[in-house]
């Protein structure tokens, strides 16, 4: 179990031990777009709408380092035709951007660099036999692992906009958006990632990044699309 890579299903297991409203059919939608040009998803909602809970659920479902059958067997997703095809089949990177704003806020412009290096160090530790060049960019290192393992990554970023919201610095925001673009909008991207799922409070366009990250399909409170029922509680669930 890693800190950012293949973190397992412990977080979602703790959720299942308490009262839980079944939102697992979100997984069916994500399964449907895996490996397609629509595999870049960004869900934006106000606080307390279950964004992080959904991210933990996806992590538990896709992470190949654990066995999550018992966590999902009694949920709606278990009846879906895609359920067994993707359950615990991917190396997962789970990044909570708010952790870096909390721990590294005083370091200012170093925050994006430190986040990148933290992922790079753990990638090298997790795959010691893969031919990873420590001086390569993080996307190049990830591609080396994919070529070595023949497995694409599923990347989850919770609170993607925390750095933009908390740091309040245009230069840091530009660095962060450039980093996101280097990860998710280059010639390496489709080879590296089976899917990318981000959550945040405010939409990507809030930060004038639509040209940099316009490959993401955004599901906001105003335009929730097919994901409307998977965040917050609908009338029947409240009853």
């Amino acid at each position: 179990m890693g800190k950012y890579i293949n973190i397992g299903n412990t977080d979602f297991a703790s959720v299942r031990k308490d009262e839980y409203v079944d939102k697992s059919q979100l997984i069916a939608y994500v399964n449907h777009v895996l490996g397609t040009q629509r595999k870049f998803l960004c869900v934006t909602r106000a606080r307390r709408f279950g964004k992080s809970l959904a991210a933990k659920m996806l992590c538990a479902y896709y992470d190949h380092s654990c066995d999550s059958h018992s966590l999902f067997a009694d949920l709606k997703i278990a009846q879906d035709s895609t359920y067994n095809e993707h359950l615990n089949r991917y190396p997962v990177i789970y990044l909570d951007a708010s952790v870096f704003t909390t721990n590294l806020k005083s370091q200012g412009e170093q925050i994006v660099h430190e986040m990148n290096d933290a992922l790079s160090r753990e990638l090298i530790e997790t795959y010691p036999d893969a031919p990873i060049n420590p001086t390569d960019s993080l996307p190049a290192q990830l591609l080396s692992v994919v070529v070595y393992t023949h497995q694409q990554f599923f990347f989850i970023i919770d609170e993607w906009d925390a750095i933009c919201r908390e740091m309040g610095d245009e230069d840091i925001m530009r660095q962060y958006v450039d980093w996101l673009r280097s990860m998710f909008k280059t010639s390496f991207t489709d080879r590296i990632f089976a899917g990318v799922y981000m959550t945040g409070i405010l939409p990507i366009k809030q930060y004038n990044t639509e040209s940099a990250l316009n490959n993401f399909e955004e599901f906001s409170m105003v335009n929730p699309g097919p994901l409307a029922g998977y965040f917050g509680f609908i009338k029947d669930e409240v009853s």
Side-chain angles (χ1 to χ4, degrees):
M1 183 182 296
K3 189 174 181 180
Y4 308 109
I5 302 173
N6 301 329
I7 68 171
N9 58 19
T10 304
D11 287 347
F12 187 60
S14 66
V15 171
R16 287 304 320 269
K17 289 177 182 178
D18 204 346
E19 294 183 10
Y20 175 71
V21 175
D22 190 346
K23 301 288 185 177
S24 65
Q25 285 181 306
L26 169 66
I27 296 169
Y29 182 86
V30 180
N31 284 349
H32 180 69
V33 300
L34 285 179
T36 73
Q37 291 300 302
R38 294 185 293 133
K39 63 189 172 188
F40 304 98
L41 309 174
C42 184
V43 173
T44 55
R45 292 288 189 283
R47 297 186 188 277
R48 314 309 301 171
F49 269 77
K51 302 186 304 296
S52 295
L53 189 152
K56 292 173 182 178
M57 176 184 71
L58 292 175
C59 184
Y61 175 79
Y62 288 113
D63 192 335
H64 70 167
S65 71
C66 56
D67 183 349
S68 298
H69 283 80
S70 63
L71 295 178
F72 292 97
D74 62 334
L75 301 182
K76 294 175 183 177
I77 185 59
Q79 307 304 315
D80 191 86
S81 61
T82 64
Y83 173 66
N84 287 310
E85 180 182 358
H86 299 289
L87 178 64
N88 298 136
R89 296 296 176 89
Y90 298 90
V92 172
I93 302 173
Y94 186 99
L95 181 67
D96 183 347
S98 67
V99 171
F100 287 89
T101 61
T102 299
N103 296 339
L104 301 174
K105 191 170 184 177
S106 62
Q107 297 187 30
E109 293 185 359
Q110 294 298 312
I111 192 168
V112 177
H113 177 75
E114 290 296 329
M115 182 171 64
N116 183 86
D117 283 2
L119 292 176
S120 176
R121 288 193 299 269
E122 186 164 323
L123 188 70
I124 294 171
E125 293 171 1
T126 304
Y127 299 95
D129 297 326
I132 303 172
N133 185 341
T135 64
D136 279 350
S137 66
L138 181 57
Q141 292 177 346
L142 288 165
L143 182 59
S144 295
V145 173
V146 171
V147 171
Y148 179 76
T149 63
H150 304 288
Q151 289 183 304
Q152 290 181 300
F153 286 89
F154 191 94
F155 202 137
I156 300 170
I157 303 182
D158 196 12
E159 301 286 356
W160 84 270
D161 56 335
I163 291 176
C164 302
R165 288 186 286 105
E166 300 296 330
M167 302 306 292
D169 185 291
E170 288 188 8
D171 288 336
I172 296 174
M173 186 183 78
R174 191 177 303 110
Q175 290 177 30
Y176 181 47
V177 171
D178 285 345
W179 182 81
L180 291 172
R181 182 169 52 191
S182 75
M183 293 289 290
F184 305 132
K185 203 176 180 185
T186 70
S187 59
F188 288 169
T189 299
D190 284 334
R191 298 171 64 188
I192 297 171
F193 301 110
V196 179
Y197 182 90
M198 301 200 308
T199 77
I201 294 175
L202 296 175
I204 291 172
K205 65 182 180 180
Q206 177 76 19
Y207 300 102
N208 298 316
T209 62
E210 57 266 34
S211 61
L213 297 170
N214 61 4
N215 54 331
F216 276 84
E217 186 171 5
E218 205 153 17
F219 301 93
S220 66
M221 293 187 73
V222 177
N223 297 297
L227 306 191
Y230 305 139
F231 298 91
F233 299 110
I234 62 176
K235 185 176 180 180
D236 288 346
E237 292 168 343
V238 173
S239 297

